Amino acid sequence: MAQYGISSDIYHIRIEELLDLTDAALPSHILQNIEEKVVLLIGQEKRNKSDQLASGRDVLIQAFNDGNTHYPTRIIFEQRAPHLSILALLKPIRKKYLDYSTLSYEIYLSDIIDNQLERNLKSEETAYNYSERNKWGVPEDLRLSRFQQIDESFKNQGYDKKHPMAIMLCRGLGVKDKLHQGHHRMYFCRKYNIPYVQVQFLATNSFTGHFKTFFLWLNKTLKYKQVT
């Protein structure tokens, strides 16, 4: 398994947030197969390893000077448990080694929608759904109260950057990025036409080489945990 994993999708990240990062000192071969000019290396929150800009500072400065606010960015991450190979993709093991980026980033809402990162779509009827069999369920009166409170917040204040969504890189079949947390917030963002959202990235391991090619094909063919 390669030392670094690569996001399946590209994200339009706020340029100023990327320029605030320090530059990563990576061997050139790590980036040689990545076509994108700007690459973000996420760190490891648990180990206090900071996010870094792997490439593209000059490009970002030029884009910012030209009046752009966001730039398409590929994301890479250090494999959390390469010694376990594909076993690290099993859910219990993956959870043990899972780690977050040290920072959150503003991206287009359309990045999540167009890249088909959502695993389900919430509605007013299904938000915080109550079920006696669901230990995470909320009593109906509290569910409605919570929904109305959040609805008012989005309506009056927009998206609160203090509460980023979470995107797990290479979650689906070990190759496809997926929304990890934030499906309820996606509902409100759609409802109030909010164009930008704050996200934090997380990762563990991913398939590479022929395995990656096969599972990307399988993911597309089966539309694995994909909503439209």
Side-chain angles (χ1 to χ4, degrees):
M1 183 171 286
Q3 183 181 359
Y4 290 89
I6 303 172
S7 65
S8 63
D9 297 290
I10 297 169
Y11 302 91
H12 294 80
I13 297 179
R14 188 172 181 84
I15 293 175
E16 292 172 291
E17 293 175 343
L18 291 171
L19 289 176
D20 282 340
L21 301 174
T22 59
D23 291 326
L26 295 176
S28 58
H29 72 271
I30 293 174
L31 302 174
Q32 65 183 6
N33 293 322
I34 298 178
E35 296 180 358
E36 288 69 38
K37 297 178 181 179
V38 177
V39 179
L40 166 64
L41 169 63
I42 63 168
Q44 298 176 13
E45 189 176 56
K46 293 177 184 176
R47 299 173 63 185
N48 293 317
K49 296 183 66 173
S50 299
D51 300 351
Q52 294 181 300
L53 186 62
S55 69
R57 184 170 297 278
D58 291 342
V59 173
L60 290 171
I61 292 173
Q62 183 61 56
F64 183 77
N65 291 336
D66 289 342
N68 296 291
T69 58
H70 299 71
Y71 201 89
T73 304
R74 183 72 68 175
I75 302 173
I76 63 173
F77 59 93
E78 187 176 355
Q79 303 270 29
R80 304 318 197 225
H83 59 288
L84 296 177
S85 188
I86 63 174
L87 293 177
L89 300 176
L90 298 175
K91 190 172 182 178
I93 301 176
R94 183 179 69 190
K95 186 176 181 180
K96 178 180 178 181
Y97 288 96
L98 200 60
D99 204 2
Y100 286 75
S101 59
T102 53
L103 297 173
S104 64
Y105 302 90
E106 183 181 278
I107 66 171
Y108 294 169
L109 177 71
S110 59
D111 287 339
I112 296 175
I113 297 173
D114 295 346
N115 290 333
Q116 298 178 314
L117 304 189
E118 295 166 279
R119 291 175 291 124
N120 59 74
L121 296 177
K122 295 296 182 181
S123 66
E124 186 169 352
E125 291 72 29
T126 62
Y128 309 107
N129 234 0
Y130 172 75
S131 171
E132 292 182 351
R133 294 175 295 176
N134 180 3
K135 66 179 180 179
W136 305 112
V138 180
E140 183 67 12
D141 56 340
L142 294 180
R143 184 188 78 83
L144 292 175
S145 175
R146 177 183 293 183
F147 180 89
Q148 292 168 358
Q149 181 181 22
I150 297 176
D151 186 83
E152 283 296 315
S153 175
F154 272 83
K155 180 180 179 181
N156 297 325
Q157 302 173 31
Y159 190 94
D160 187 351
K161 298 180 71 171
K162 294 180 181 179
H163 301 284
M165 300 185 200
I167 294 175
M168 184 172 174
L169 306 178
C170 302
R171 172 176 179 158
L173 297 178
V175 292
K176 182 69 174 72
D177 301 352
K178 289 291 179 180
L179 188 64
H180 186 66
Q181 295 173 343
H183 290 87
H184 288 96
R185 279 164 282 182
M186 287 295 298
Y187 165 78
F188 294 110
C189 287
R190 279 189 170 96
K191 180 177 180 179
Y192 293 110
N193 298 312
I194 295 173
Y196 306 111
V197 295
Q198 200 75 9
V199 301
Q200 193 172 10
F201 297 100
L202 63 154
T204 175
N205 277 18
S206 68
F207 282 118
T208 56
H210 295 303
F211 275 120
K212 181 176 182 179
T213 301
F214 171 73
F215 279 103
L216 279 171
W217 171 83
L218 190 63
N219 185 91
K220 184 176 181 180
T221 302
L222 298 178
K223 297 184 178 180
Y224 182 72
K225 293 187 177 181
Q226 176 178 307
V227 297
T228 56

